[in-house]
Amino acid sequence: MRTFILSATCCLAAFLASAQVRSIYHDGWIDFNKNGVKDIFEDPAQPVDRRIADLLSRMTLEEKTCQTATLYGYGRVLKDSLPTSGWNNEIWKDGIANIDEELNSVAGNPKAQTSLSYPFSRHAEAINTVQRWFVEQTRLGIPVDFTNEGIHGLNHDRATSLPAPIAIGSTWDKDLVHEAGVIVGREAKALGYTNVYAPILDLARDPRWGRTLECYGEDPFLVAELGKQMTLGIQEQGIASTLKHFAVYSVPKGGRDGSVRTDPHVAPRELQQLYLYAFRRVIQEAHPMGVMSSYNDWDGVPITGSYYFLTELLREKFGFDGYVVSDSDAVEYLFTKHHVAATYKDAVRQVMEAGLNVRTNFTPPGTFIEPLRELVRNGELSIHTLDKRVADVLRVKFRLGLFDQPYVKDPKKADEVLAPGRTKEFMLKMARESLVLLKNDGNLLPLDKQKIRHILVTGPLGRETSYAISRYGPSHLSPVSVEAGLRSYLGNSTSIDYARGCDIVDSAWPESEIIPTPLTATERSAIDEAVTKGRNADVIIAVLGEDEKRVGEGMSRTGLDLPGRQEQLLEALYATGRPVVLVLVNGQPLTINWADRYIPSILEAWFPNSFGGQAVAETLFGDYNPGGKLTITFPKTTGEIEWNFPYKPGSQPKGDKRENKTSVFGPIYAFGHGLSYTQFAYSHLTVTPLTQNPQGDITVTVDITNTGNRTGDEVAQLYINDEVSSVTVYEQQLRGFQRVTLKPGEKKTLQFTLRPDDLSLIDKDHVWRVEPGKFQVMLGSSSTDIRLKQEFEIR
């Protein structure tokens, strides 16, 4: 009898709780705080600032501080894939700012694999279940912002894959990058994510740096233009875009990465003109809702603890009005590495006063929240400062509509949005457009299917595909290798043989870069096998470079040669006398001096997406005409680093006879370089007006004609030079580019607009302004292949 009464009591309690939960959902509003009244913060008709103020006034210290931390998702910090009764005893019982990478089955992490990531509708339903717990089971019901990575495509099981950002940059295609952002945002929205950590706006100025592959390039204008399009595309889908990594993150001393990252040697004017340029422009022109603060310092001050960077620059000068999350360990490093805080608690105080909104790291959120509460209770941190930081987080949540529709409205639609094959043509287009033809002596490429009967595919990257799956992109993909792409493309019409030739690295690497070791018998045998097969081939396709274990986050290099025995393999293949085509798969520029001198044709594929092998095959045989251009300089040696674009006069010698006796100067391939199977002519450059006021626009037009016999893409690049200025400026500055497709004999007129911002500099008083004087416009196919010039004057 007693068991029956207890059971009945429990059922009644469950019924009453269910009825209460159901009662919070009303026509046009949700009773988040469950008081039966439509409060100001619950009223969609109220201005956002009023809603924020009302909600803040109702929040306890515990609830406010919970809006300043990230809870990493399942397999990282969360042990439960879905809410449990134990959550009522966790710190997030009072809410949480965001949950990162929740149930995404992130690549390379066995603990994070889950059956709730796929099918896609199951993930959307799971996210709704998690969100429902926060809305219904916490006192104020503040919804969660579900964040996720997105630089290689959405970081989710079987989402659309993008190539590495260095390959995305090589497309120079603003429309295509915008479409990439739309796809990332659309897929995120369908799956229940509300905030995507993309794009990366860092400049790849030192190619030794491991994360070079995650940057669009080395030039601030190009990074700003492409970053703007990615941001706009993501946010058009009702998803927040969070920019990475603010700021001066990509130039640690000596290009070194990981825990040693610190001490970027960047002058104040260079800081503004190069490293902050893209952030300023993207914030002002695309209005992203998020920024990630970096864990390095600048001029001795850690960025995440810098009021100058997080408040004066970011908010007061650039106009950012979203919320700032910290990169991993950025808060902790104030105490453990930079030693500007005597205790971790003081590091928490410093970052909050500087302007950080949300601490993000792979440790429980309470490690930040608890000392923050103690700081406020002890009067060591003003509650008004905390209110400002929380208000920024709430503002983004209101802008995202989370207080009006906190759930994925139609979870089943996710299966339609991410249906297999829906973005295949887009992925193929991006894979094709990212390819850069570096060299093509004697027009060896494109290969003729009618004449090529026997091919040897060799090299450690020929069958490799792991580079197409990134920790920051989709998982559980089925990438196409170069060999598989060729076999599928050629079918039975051509015989294809394969020999690995060598491993990506030798057993002593990376020490073998400084202390060479002789080939082992096994290594010699592998090269000999490739050579023997190569002698019987009509053409040898050598696929060389790096994999994801050789370049990436925390994997900076001391040298940039082909690693391991790859160059020895290449030299042996060349010695056969058979035509050799080099396909590079890599994440950073390589010092391929020998290959550039002796190998007739070189195709740069970077780290492509899952369709990279197909795109390479089509390009080698001419069904696709490559039109990509380099966004980063290939140096001849690490000894001349930095050798990049843009550069100051005299900083990159062009032929000083005295210095050339002791040094090797110049790039292998310059910024903007990229060949085609056709030719393009530039004509009729016009600049209007030739004399303009400092706040007026300049219109530039040029005709581009395909003078060859194949349809192809040209990237027309516009550079300017301020001929005389009050401070030293860069010799050339990229200020416009357009990728255009032209049929044989076709001509198109391209138009560019130079705005005052494009002509401005930071003068002696450290003020941005356009100075009177003469400027030169240069149009061409690369930074070193200028076809037309015209002068104009600012009076």
Side-chain angles (χ1 to χ4, degrees):
M1 184 69 166
R2 185 173 178 222
T3 302
F4 172 78
I5 294 172
L6 284 172
S7 177
T9 302
C10 290
C11 288
L12 177 60
F15 171 79
L16 292 173
S18 175
Q20 180 184 15
V21 165
R22 284 198 300 272
S23 71
I24 75 172
Y25 299 102
H26 301 281
D27 184 19
W29 67 285
I30 300 172
D31 187 10
F32 289 99
N33 62 358
K34 308 159 192 71
N35 66 355
V37 177
K38 184 195 285 189
D39 296 302
I40 291 174
F41 83 94
E42 298 164 339
D43 185 355
Q46 293 291 330
V48 168
D49 285 345
R50 284 202 70 197
R51 298 178 79 179
I52 293 170
D54 180 60
L55 179 53
L56 265 176
S57 71
R58 300 170 186 275
M59 296 172 72
T60 64
L61 175 62
E62 289 69 27
E63 289 161 337
K64 289 176 180 178
T65 51
C66 277
Q67 294 299 313
T68 68
T70 292
L71 171 61
Y72 253 100
Y74 175 70
R76 315 304 284 278
V77 170
L78 262 179
K79 302 295 189 294
D80 312 303
S81 57
L82 293 173
T84 68
S85 59
W87 283 25
N88 294 309
N89 301 317
E90 297 285 357
I91 200 163
W92 56 86
K93 68 183 182 298
D94 293 312
I96 203 73
N98 54 37
I99 300 180
D100 196 27
E101 299 185 33
E102 172 68 337
L103 304 172
N104 65 346
S105 288
V106 60
N109 186 343
K111 293 182 179 179
Q113 303 309 303
T114 170
S115 62
L116 296 177
S117 62
Y118 183 85
F120 303 116
S121 55
R122 184 184 297 168
H123 182 268
E125 290 166 353
I127 289 293
N128 278 353
T129 299
V130 176
Q131 185 74 285
R132 197 174 301 279
W133 187 89
F134 282 93
V135 170
E136 297 177 356
Q137 300 302 317
T138 64
R139 187 181 75 91
L140 290 177
I142 299 173
V144 171
D145 182 17
F146 288 96
T147 57
N148 199 1
E149 301 285 350
I151 62 170
H152 289 259
L154 186 68
N155 187 11
H156 188 90
D157 187 352
R158 281 164 267 204
T160 295
S161 76
L162 303 180
I166 193 68
I168 296 174
S170 296
T171 70
W172 294 66
D173 190 333
K174 288 177 276 191
D175 291 339
L176 191 65
V177 175
H178 182 269
E179 185 179 358
V182 168
I183 290 171
V184 170
R186 183 170 64 229
E187 293 182 352
K189 182 84 168 179
L191 287 162
Y193 300 109
T194 51
N195 190 330
V196 174
Y197 291 164
I200 285 180
L201 299 184
D202 302 316
L203 298 186
R205 303 287 289 178
D206 189 332
R208 295 171 296 181
W209 183 50
R211 301 193 81 171
T212 291
L213 83 164
E214 295 177 0
C215 304
Y216 292 138
E218 67 190 6
D219 179 79
F221 182 86
L222 179 133
V223 171
E225 290 288 298
L226 298 186
K228 171 184 173 180
Q229 293 305 320
M230 181 66 76
T231 302
L232 289 171
I234 291 171
Q235 296 205 157
E236 284 170 8
Q237 306 306 302
I239 298 295
S241 167
T242 292
L243 312 179
K244 300 163 61 171
H245 305 85
F246 187 81
V248 216
Y249 176 79
S250 59
V251 279
K253 186 177 181 180
R256 292 180 280 273
D257 203 356
S259 60
V260 300
R261 173 196 303 283
T262 187
D263 198 21
H265 290 185
V266 175
R269 189 170 279 103
E270 187 177 42
L271 170 75
Q272 299 288 342
Q273 293 183 152
L274 293 182
Y275 296 96
L276 297 179
Y277 176 90
F279 284 98
R280 172 178 66 83
R281 280 201 50 208
V282 174
I283 287 168
Q284 292 174 348
E285 297 173 27
H287 310 291
M289 291 187 240
V291 163
M292 180 180 289
S293 67
S294 56
Y295 49 74
N296 56 282
D297 66 336
W298 179 74
D299 195 26
V301 179
I303 300 296
T304 298
S306 169
Y307 185 85
Y308 170 70
F309 276 95
L310 299 193
T311 299
E312 290 182 6
L313 277 179
L314 197 57
R315 295 191 182 277
E316 295 173 4
K317 291 191 176 181
F318 296 172
F320 176 67
D321 60 359
Y323 76 82
V324 181
V325 301
S326 65
D327 200 357
S328 303
D329 288 313
V331 175
E332 287 77 359
Y333 278 168
L334 267 70
F335 168 54
T336 62
K337 183 172 72 171
H338 298 298
H339 304 296
V340 298
T343 63
Y344 174 65
K345 187 173 79 169
D346 192 53
V348 173
R349 177 192 63 79
Q350 288 187 40
V351 299
M352 291 300 288
E353 290 184 343
L356 183 71
N357 298 103
V358 175
R359 176 268 197 178
T360 301
N361 205 351
F362 300 104
T363 56
T367 59
F368 181 83
I369 292 171
E370 293 292 1
L372 178 58
R373 290 174 179 174
E374 188 177 339
L375 286 165
V376 176
R377 290 188 184 117
N378 293 344
E380 297 172 83
L381 180 72
S382 168
I383 187 67
H384 302 294
T385 299
L386 177 62
D387 285 352
K388 287 181 181 179
R389 306 297 174 255
V390 174
D392 294 328
V393 177
L394 297 177
R395 183 173 296 104
V396 169
K397 293 186 176 186
F398 279 113
R399 288 174 63 187
L400 290 172
L402 292 177
F403 284 90
D404 306 321
Q405 175 53 270
Y407 309 116
V408 179
K409 193 172 183 180
D410 182 4
K412 292 192 178 301
K413 190 177 180 182
D415 293 328
E416 175 187 337
V417 171
L418 286 94
R422 281 183 69 92
T423 56
K424 178 180 178 180
E425 288 306 313
F426 162 79
M427 286 192 284
L428 266 171
K429 183 177 175 64
M430 182 159 270
R432 292 167 181 147
E433 289 198 10
S434 65
L435 297 174
V436 184
L437 183 60
L438 299 178
K439 183 183 179 186
N440 195 25
D441 284 0
N443 294 320
L444 174 59
L445 295 179
L447 302 173
D448 189 337
K449 279 189 285 188
Q450 304 306 314
K451 297 179 180 179
I452 302 295
R453 294 302 177 193
H454 187 75
I455 296 173
L456 172 65
V457 176
T458 185
L461 278 302
R463 284 183 172 173
E464 187 59 69
T465 59
S466 60
Y467 53 74
I469 300 177
S470 167
R471 174 262 178 273
Y472 291 104
S475 56
H476 301 138
L477 303 176
S478 300
V480 179
S481 69
V482 172
E483 184 206 17
L486 285 164
R487 291 188 184 278
S488 176
Y489 174 79
L490 293 170
N492 297 323
S493 64
T494 304
S495 170
I496 299 178
D497 207 350
Y498 172 79
R500 183 172 175 85
C502 67
D503 292 331
I504 294 174
V505 297
D506 59 88
S507 61
W509 191 89
E511 188 181 67
S512 58
E513 290 193 320
I514 60 172
I515 305 177
T517 58
L519 290 169
T520 65
T522 300
E523 290 170 337
R524 171 55 64 191
S525 176
I527 292 176
D528 288 345
E529 179 193 8
V531 167
T532 299
K533 290 182 177 182
R535 289 195 182 106
N536 298 319
D538 295 324
V539 66
I540 300 170
I541 298 174
V543 189
L544 309 178
E546 305 167 302
D547 64 0
E548 79 290 351
K549 295 178 181 178
R550 254 46 73 168
V551 58
E553 186 172 8
M555 289 182 281
S556 294
R557 290 189 57 186
T558 48
L560 291 175
D561 292 342
L562 286 167
R565 308 302 192 183
Q566 293 185 63
E567 184 150 315
Q568 288 152 295
L569 170 63
L570 188 62
E571 292 177 12
L573 295 170
Y574 174 76
T576 65
R578 310 308 297 160
V580 179
V581 175
L582 172 58
V583 176
L584 288 173
V585 173
N586 50 301
Q588 60 205 130
L590 300 177
T591 48
I592 52 168
N593 295 285
W594 189 92
D596 176 61
R597 176 164 294 185
Y598 295 106
I599 301 302
S601 296
I602 305 175
L603 182 68
E604 175 61 81
W606 298 116
F607 277 11
N609 63 19
S610 53
F611 284 92
Q614 179 177 339
V616 167
E618 294 171 346
T619 302
L620 293 179
F621 282 88
D623 275 353
Y624 181 74
N625 186 355
K629 303 280 188 176
L630 293 180
T631 61
I632 186 167
T633 303
F634 274 53
K636 289 180 178 176
T637 168
T638 54
E640 65 179 357
I641 291 173
E642 294 179 2
W643 194 286
N644 45 27
F645 184 91
Y647 54 89
K648 295 287 183 68
S651 64
Q652 297 185 177
K654 298 178 180 179
D656 184 290
K657 293 181 180 180
R658 181 178 57 186
E659 291 187 7
N660 281 352
K661 290 180 180 179
T662 58
S663 301
V664 175
F665 287 130
I668 306 176
Y669 309 113
F671 177 83
H673 171 76
L675 306 177
S676 172
Y677 298 152
T678 189
Q679 299 81 42
F680 301 94
Y682 286 65
S683 61
H684 301 104
L685 173 62
T686 64
V687 178
T688 309
L690 291 176
T691 303
Q692 179 61 285
N693 293 313
Q695 294 307 306
D697 290 345
I698 299 288
T699 300
V700 179
T701 62
V702 66
D703 290 343
I704 310 292
T705 305
N706 184 343
T707 58
N709 56 13
R710 288 177 177 269
T711 297
D713 288 6
E714 171 68 332
V715 178
Q717 302 163 41
L718 185 155
Y719 298 91
I720 66 165
N721 172 248
D722 189 347
E723 296 181 6
V724 179
S725 51
S726 62
V727 295
T728 304
V729 296
Y730 302 99
E731 283 203 0
Q732 292 171 284
Q733 290 180 282
L734 181 70
R735 286 298 180 261
F737 59 89
Q738 291 186 42
R739 183 166 181 150
V740 58
T741 302
L742 295 170
K743 298 176 183 177
E746 183 179 6
K747 178 177 71 175
K748 287 186 179 178
T749 300
L750 306 184
Q751 180 173 306
F752 303 87
T753 300
L754 291 171
R755 308 168 304 154
D757 187 72
D758 296 323
L759 306 178
S760 64
L761 54 72
I762 299 179
D763 67 12
K764 290 181 177 179
D765 297 321
H766 220 77
V767 175
W768 282 96
R769 71 186 187 95
V770 179
E771 292 186 340
K774 293 181 179 180
F775 290 77
Q776 190 174 72
V777 169
M778 296 162 275
L779 261 295
S781 191
S782 82
S783 62
T784 56
D785 183 10
I786 300 300
R787 309 288 182 84
L788 299 170
K789 298 179 181 180
Q790 176 67 56
E791 196 175 66
F792 66 91
E793 185 175 5
I794 298 296
R795 58 171 178 249

